[in-house]
Amino acid sequence: MGADLAPGSRFPDLELADHAGIRRRISELAEGDPLVLNFFRGWWCPKEQAFFRGLVRLQDEAEVAYTRLVSVSVDPSPEQSAFRAGLGARWTFLSDSDRTYVGELGLRETTDSLHRPYLPATFTLYPDLTIHSAYNGYWFWGRPTNEELRQDMRAITRAIRQDWEVPT
């Protein structure tokens, strides 16, 4: 991952088609809330399927905690829509099937010349897209656990919510 995607820097506000083919910006999807943004190889990867099953288990908590999840791959929108439905995921998937941002972000998976996918990576972001944490998921154990995501979201929420402490 590039140095530009380090904690404390601002993640670029990408604009891509979602799983329904509608153009969306990451800042729009954050809606003023903390965000888990993950880049994945594609629906066909068994490591991605295992990771996503974990995210699906986290989605109920994310929804009630005012946290957004967004996933990005090079899969076309119809394939993403089918993968999303099969998982039971309710969050937004974005398609970079033209590979517009792969090189710009420095997230090209260099060992797969057939699919030319994204390097698996997860970022936890403040609502203004400032990076709190960055996880390199090339190896499965480099990906964040649900507990690590919870801890990141707790830290971000504590920092942005003026009413974190009960008013006296």
Side-chain angles (χ1 to χ4, degrees), residues 16 143 147 167:
L16 293 164
R143 297 166 195 231
E147 188 54 35

Side-chain angles (χ1 to χ4, degrees), residues 36-50:
V36 175
L37 176 65
N38 85 293
F39 292 82
F40 67 105
R41 288 182 177 106
W43 66 268
W44 44 266
C45 178
K47 294 173 188 147
E48 302 299 1
Q49 293 171 19

